[in-house]
Amino acid sequence: MRDIDLFDMHEAFAAQMMSNLQAFASKEWAKKHLGRDEAIGEVPEDRLNIYGGSISIGHPFAATGARQSAHHGQ
C-alpha cells in the first residue's frame, strides 16, 4: 500500500466498496481467500477517491474507465 499514490474505487454500490476496504484490511480474509498470512492493508482515506467519487461527479455508470483516465491524467 505504501507504493500506491492514489486509490480510485468506483462507489456506485457503496456497500461493495466498503466491503472491499474491510477485506483489504482483514488478516483473516486474506488468509481464507488469498492464502496470505497478512492483510493486503488499509487504504488511507487521504489517498482514496481524491477527485471525488464517480457518482458525485455525475458520470454514467458504464463510464468509470473513461472518467478515471480523464481525471488521473490531469
Side-chain angles (χ1 to χ4, degrees), residues 12-59:
F13 303 105
Q16 179 63 50
M17 182 176 146
M18 298 306 294
S19 295
N20 290 344
L21 293 173
Q22 279 187 317
F24 291 173
S26 170
K27 185 176 180 176
E28 293 80 19
W29 187 89
K31 181 72 172 174
K32 180 177 179 181
H33 297 283
L34 303 176
R36 296 173 51 117
D37 291 329
E38 297 296 325
I40 295 170
E42 292 188 31
V43 175
E45 288 185 27
D46 64 333
R47 292 190 281 159
L48 175 63
N49 290 357
I50 66 162
Y51 299 108
S54 300
I55 293 174
S56 68
I57 295 170
H59 81 85

Side-chain angles (χ1 to χ4, degrees), residues 1-8 44 46-50:
M1 292 296 190
R2 291 185 310 265
D3 295 333
I4 301 173
D5 293 331
L6 302 174
F7 297 85
D8 193 339
D46 64 333
R47 292 190 281 159
L48 175 63
N49 290 357
I50 66 162

